Amino acid sequence: MENRYKYTRYNEEATIEYIRKFVLEYNPFLKDYLYENSSESLFFYQNDSNSNNFLSIGYVVKYTGEVYRGGFNCYTSIRIVENLLNSLIVKHINSLADFSIKFSATIDFNKYTVSNFETIWDSFRQFDGYDLSTNKEMLDKLCEHYKEVIERYFIPFWEKYSNIQYINDEIINKVPEEDLNNYISDMGNFKKLIIMKLCSNPEYNNYKDYLKTVVENALKEDKNKYKPFADLFEELTEILETQNNFSNLH
């Protein structure tokens, strides 16, 4: 593999840019993905009308300029679900930051949704302790490893869980309620209700009645605390049952 660097130490920006270019060059699947960089992650995301597949490559930068890998975060968002719920959260509960709305997850790549998650996560431990800004050999090995993991695991995960009907059939219809939040991220009960309605799940009304009871009991416990959630639930069910066209929520 050619040596793409000319100096003995490379700053954070150069190191992360190297990873970004490598990932994009060797993963054509990601060629249309947008990317951004933060102080802790390089992330790629899809600008698609139906789903947003997200990958974050984490890193740690020390004050000395040393760069260490910090793992990954991978998930998929069903836009119609996330947009509807986020708009109601902002209205009834709080004003979410733009990042939260833009990158909210529906299904996480984790030990519940991916059978060999722990093995995949542990496979990155071989790069712990190496300063990527000076160790070109380990930087290239890390990039190759990301390439392989993206191809073998992340892409199949995205293809599977970006399908809302698959989520309905394989998670909502099979996962016990008490385990739901292991599969569907952040306010999974409300997301489950939305998905059930969109997929014409025959259990929708029963689940709506169940959530109504949960909300009513919460109000009895602490009205001030749970009133915003009750208002959200009321408006959510009204939208789901009176609005026939959800295209404006994409």
Side-chain angles (χ1 to χ4, degrees):
M1 185 176 295
E2 63 174 313
N3 190 327
R4 304 184 186 189
Y5 288 154
K6 298 180 180 179
Y7 305 99
T8 56
R9 176 172 286 284
Y10 319 103
N11 62 23
E12 168 194 346
E13 291 77 12
T15 305
I16 304 308
E17 179 67 5
Y18 185 87
I19 297 174
R20 183 190 72 81
K21 287 184 176 180
F22 191 104
V23 168
L24 289 177
E25 181 178 352
Y26 292 100
N27 290 97
F29 184 89
L30 304 180
K31 66 181 177 63
D32 295 326
Y33 278 44
L34 303 174
Y35 67 89
E36 294 183 24
N37 193 18
S38 71
S39 60
E40 298 178 345
S41 297
L42 166 67
F43 42 88
F44 302 88
Y45 59 97
Q46 188 180 36
N47 189 18
D48 185 85
S49 60
N50 295 317
S51 64
N52 175 24
N53 296 324
F54 175 95
L55 168 62
S56 169
I57 293 175
Y59 55 86
V60 177
V61 182
K62 292 193 173 183
Y63 70 94
T64 54
E66 298 169 301
V67 181
Y68 297 90
R69 73 100 209 167
F72 63 84
N73 184 20
C74 176
Y75 61 74
T76 189
S77 297
I78 304 300
R79 284 194 179 276
I80 192 169
V81 175
E82 298 301 321
N83 289 352
L84 172 55
L85 185 57
N86 280 329
S87 66
L88 296 177
I89 291 173
V90 170
K91 179 177 180 180
H92 295 288
I93 300 177
N94 57 40
S95 180
L96 292 179
D98 178 65
F99 185 92
S100 298
I101 296 175
K102 189 174 185 180
F103 298 111
S104 55
T106 306
I107 306 292
D108 275 320
F109 185 100
N110 61 30
K111 66 180 181 180
Y112 300 100
T113 57
V114 180
S115 60
N116 55 348
F117 171 82
E118 298 288 357
T119 300
I120 299 167
W121 180 262
D122 288 344
S123 70
F124 283 88
R125 295 188 184 279
Q126 62 184 297
F127 304 103
D128 288 347
Y130 291 97
D131 177 11
L132 302 178
S133 68
T134 58
N135 194 320
K136 176 66 166 52
E137 180 182 359
M138 292 307 296
L139 177 59
D140 281 336
K141 286 183 178 179
L142 173 63
C143 288
E144 288 283 359
H145 193 61
Y146 273 120
K147 171 182 176 292
E148 179 182 357
V149 171
I150 289 170
E151 290 177 348
R152 292 185 61 188
Y153 303 112
F154 294 162
I155 291 175
F157 169 82
W158 288 328
E159 290 176 339
K160 178 188 295 185
Y161 287 108
S162 61
N163 185 322
I164 192 172
Q165 190 64 50
Y166 184 89
I167 297 173
N168 178 79
D169 297 345
E170 298 300 321
I171 295 181
I172 288 174
N173 285 347
K174 295 181 179 181
V175 173
E177 183 66 17
E178 60 270 22
D179 297 329
L180 180 66
N181 288 328
N182 293 328
Y183 295 82
I184 302 181
S185 304
D186 303 323
M187 301 184 74
N189 306 104
F190 291 146
K191 292 180 183 181
K192 175 177 177 177
L193 187 70
I194 297 169
I195 294 170
M196 292 178 80
K197 183 63 175 179
L198 293 174
C199 293
S200 301
N201 191 308
E203 291 298 313
Y204 167 81
N205 285 323
N206 289 337
Y207 191 66
K208 180 187 70 174
D209 291 341
Y210 162 76
L211 286 186
K212 183 178 179 181
T213 300
V214 171
V215 170
E216 289 173 346
N217 290 337
L219 285 174
K220 293 176 183 177
E221 177 184 330
D222 190 331
K223 184 174 182 179
N224 289 334
K225 180 178 179 179
Y226 293 109
K227 181 65 162 57
F229 294 91
D231 292 341
L232 186 156
F233 173 72
E234 182 178 355
E235 183 169 359
L236 174 60
T237 54
E238 180 181 356
I239 291 172
L240 292 176
E241 295 171 11
T242 62
Q243 194 166 316
N244 295 321
N245 184 4
F246 294 94
S247 60
N248 62 316
L249 297 173
H250 285 266

